[in-house]
Amino acid sequence: FELLDAAILLGEAVAVAKLMDRCIGRVPLRVWRVWDLLLDCGSPFLVLAEPAVVHAAACACLNLSSLTGVIFPDPVSHLDVPLLGVVIQEGYTEIARAMVRAGAPLTPLPSVVGRQRAGETSRSS
């Protein structure tokens, strides 16, 4: 367990940025699972559980684009929802920018998620 991992888990983006400047070439040791970062609040909702942790991880240049949640809009189908899509949908623009800089591709959310979340207020990090 390294200081960089601790800073990420505590969601300290500023500390992560400073450590990355000093520890060039270092990679955090933590292995991420999608459900560490997303909460399933009942279909078709996925909520970012730890925005500060996602932001800190992106500041450490971790590409979390492979993390994809699943929602079930009806009993016979499912949709894959990328972590970045949830970040954007919830209005965390600074976190989204950091994720894109870390290499996450911009992938739109499935339209059913956008319809369900329409009208909710946006948040900033």
Side-chain angles (χ1 to χ4, degrees):
F1 191 73
E2 294 186 3
L3 191 55
L4 181 57
D5 293 289
I8 292 170
L9 290 173
L10 292 172
E12 296 293 334
V14 173
V16 168
K18 288 180 181 180
L19 287 167
M20 290 299 291
D21 286 343
R22 291 184 177 164
C23 305
I24 296 172
R26 299 296 301 219
V27 178
L29 300 175
R30 175 118 163 69
V31 176
W32 296 94
R33 297 172 304 174
V34 70
W35 300 120
D36 293 336
L37 304 172
L38 291 178
L39 293 175
D40 182 357
C41 293
S43 184
F45 293 107
L46 292 175
V47 176
L48 196 59
E50 298 287 344
V53 173
V54 174
H55 189 203
C59 289
C61 297
L62 289 178
N63 184 344
L64 301 175
S65 63
S66 64
L67 298 180
T68 304
V70 177
I71 60 171
F72 299 91
D74 58 58
V76 294
S77 63
H78 75 277
L79 297 169
D80 294 330
V81 181
L83 178 63
L84 178 58
V86 175
V87 168
I88 291 169
Q89 186 68 34
E90 290 203 9
Y92 292 109
T93 54
E94 186 177 339
I95 298 172
R97 279 191 219 107
M99 290 180 72
V100 169
R101 281 192 303 270
L106 287 172
T107 308
L109 279 173
S111 60
V112 67
V113 176
R115 284 195 308 270
Q116 294 291 334
R117 301 292 294 220
E120 292 189 5
T121 58
S122 295
R123 300 177 221 174
S124 63
S125 59

